[in-house]
Amino acid sequence: MKISLVMAFLFAGVIANAQKRHEGFRFLDHIDKKQIDVLYNDTLLTAYCYFDSIMKPVLFPIRTVSGITVTRGYPIAPRAGERIDHPHHIGLWLNYESVNGLDFWNHSTAIPAARRQKYGTIIHDGIVRTDVNPKSSTLEVTARWVDHGGMILLRESTTYKFSIADSNTFVIDRTTILNALDMDVDFRDVKDGLLGIRVARELEHPSNEPDVFLDDKGNATAVAVIDNEGVTGQYLSSEGRQGDDVWGTRGRWVTLQGIIRQKPVSITIIDHPSNPGYPTYWHARGYGLFAANPLGQEVFSKGKEKLNLKINKGESVTFHYRIVIAEGKPLGPDGIAALEKSFVSTARQ
């Protein structure tokens, strides 16, 4: 009996030491899967994914500090009750609908092969550096924006900084530099862009519109009357606009709040003053697309404004965004303002 107790204590000590070794942030690089996991205290918060099938690198899934998923699973890891529209809406991404006439935003495997010459793809090139600290980690990667024939329009350098603001708040700071190489590159003023996230069903706005959803066996099912049980999303902008009224308006930030697993959860996107078109217009839809598009001014302003962004050959443009994933007590405007202030002061100029 005594020997068994000693062994039990020794085994418990080994487990405890193993857990201690994994405190804080760490990366797990799954080269064969084309995926880099971002873990905090051994909980997967997100993963940098560059699968061939998704046409651009994304962060997927995205979770709170305790592990609550705030992104839609479809089409990579579909869950019962989800909408199955827009297969190009995956996790968190940055691309655009019209880049020298090519559509990067809407590209997916659903596009017929005969039409793919009209679409662009962002291809992961490599990891530049990683840095890990107890409360933060950094991943710097490169990619290329190419046409159907592989010609490079842009070289992309993106730095993700992942941090824990407090025990309930996961922060993603994304800095993306787009370099025009051998030609001028035009971002025409259109609706679909630039930074987007597709959220979990619980964070959508309640709706009465019929749609197609997944059943518990993974089958697509047309639903005439939508079941809104557990659907609790509500947008709020820095300018005080709420719900569907946020769409097509400017703001320094927008937060989307709701309830998942009986916990208050929110996603907040914060714009940066150095970004083109600041403060951004919000392409924030009740069905679950949450996007900041500073370049689509004509459609959002109903023709009163227009911004056709041009990156001259040999020049670049930089975009900074902060994405805050919080659970528990809602951040509120004051809490968001504090995160906005620190972001503006620390983001690379």
Side-chain angles (χ1 to χ4, degrees):
M1 180 66 72
K2 290 183 179 179
I3 293 175
S4 298
L5 287 173
V6 170
M7 292 299 293
F9 279 117
L10 287 174
F11 182 73
V14 169
I15 297 298
N17 287 333
Q19 290 175 338
K20 287 180 181 178
R21 284 197 297 270
H22 294 158
E23 287 182 356
F25 276 98
R26 65 184 175 117
F27 294 118
L28 286 181
D29 191 355
H30 303 281
I31 297 174
D32 57 331
K33 296 181 180 179
K34 298 189 175 183
Q35 173 178 322
I36 302 171
D37 292 346
V38 182
L39 297 101
Y40 180 72
N41 291 347
D42 280 339
T43 296
L44 178 71
L45 294 185
T46 189
Y48 173 78
C49 303
Y50 51 102
F51 320 133
D52 295 335
S53 62
I54 57 178
M55 310 304 179
K56 74 269 187 180
V58 303
L59 294 183
F60 175 88
I62 296 178
R63 295 173 174 162
T64 67
V65 175
S66 72
I68 297 173
T69 300
V70 299
T71 45
R72 181 178 71 164
Y74 178 84
I76 295 176
R79 303 189 296 270
E82 291 185 327
R83 298 177 192 263
I84 56 171
D85 57 75
H86 301 84
H88 50 281
H89 291 174
I90 301 170
L92 174 74
W93 72 95
L94 187 150
N95 62 9
Y96 200 66
E97 182 186 357
S98 181
V99 183
N100 280 8
L102 295 173
D103 186 348
F104 285 80
W105 180 272
N106 292 289
H107 199 188
S108 76
T109 55
I111 302 299
R115 292 172 48 200
R116 289 186 182 172
Q117 72 273 12
K118 299 178 181 179
Y119 293 81
T121 303
I122 304 175
I123 300 173
H124 167 82
D125 278 332
I127 301 169
V128 176
R129 69 182 177 96
T130 59
D131 185 34
V132 178
N133 295 300
K135 290 293 185 181
S136 67
S137 61
T138 300
L139 173 66
E140 185 177 347
V141 293
T142 58
R144 60 191 187 274
W145 295 43
V146 303
D147 68 7
H148 186 59
M151 183 178 68
I152 302 173
L153 281 70
L154 295 163
R155 285 282 185 190
E156 174 183 326
S157 175
T158 291
T159 300
Y160 297 98
K161 181 179 179 182
F162 306 103
S163 60
I164 302 299
D166 58 45
S167 60
N168 296 314
T169 307
F170 172 41
V171 178
I172 304 168
D173 289 340
R174 174 174 181 152
T175 295
T176 292
I177 303 171
L178 301 177
N179 295 277
L181 300 180
D182 300 322
M183 66 186 80
D184 296 342
V185 178
D186 293 309
F187 286 69
R188 187 168 58 86
D189 190 321
V190 291
K191 174 174 63 68
D192 286 337
L194 174 75
L195 178 86
I197 185 170
R198 184 60 190 261
V199 305
R201 172 71 175 142
E202 295 92 333
L203 296 178
E204 295 177 13
H205 284 187
S207 171
N208 294 318
E209 297 294 327
D211 211 324
V212 179
F213 295 82
L214 288 176
D215 66 16
D216 58 0
K217 297 179 179 61
N219 300 310
T221 303
V223 177
V225 180
I226 293 179
D227 180 5
N228 286 309
E229 183 178 358
V231 179
T232 59
Q234 179 78 346
Y235 288 112
L236 172 67
S237 81
S238 60
E239 312 311 300
R241 296 182 179 271
Q242 297 183 31
D244 291 328
D245 290 340
V246 170
W247 187 89
T249 64
R250 287 188 184 272
R252 306 186 321 277
W253 53 261
V254 164
T255 186
L256 173 61
Q257 301 181 347
I259 305 292
I260 303 180
R261 294 190 204 167
Q262 300 181 328
K263 277 191 175 183
V265 171
S266 66
I267 303 171
T268 305
I269 302 177
I270 301 174
D271 197 10
H272 193 279
S274 68
N275 289 341
Y278 177 87
T280 186
Y281 275 100
W282 295 96
H283 187 17
R285 294 294 198 185
Y287 68 78
L289 171 64
F290 182 9
N293 184 6
L295 309 181
Q297 297 188 9
E298 186 172 23
V299 64
F300 297 127
S301 69
K302 298 180 180 179
K304 296 177 183 177
E305 301 172 342
K306 192 168 186 176
L307 175 61
N308 289 310
L309 178 69
K310 182 177 183 180
I311 309 176
N312 294 321
K313 175 182 174 180
E315 296 182 354
S316 66
V317 65
T318 301
F319 295 94
H320 302 287
Y321 291 102
R322 169 165 281 185
I323 303 94
V324 182
I325 313 300
E327 62 181 308
K329 183 180 178 181
L331 289 172
D334 290 343
I336 297 171
L339 288 164
E340 178 187 22
K341 183 178 179 180
S342 67
F343 174 51
V344 170
S345 64
T346 58
R348 184 168 55 186
Q349 301 299 314

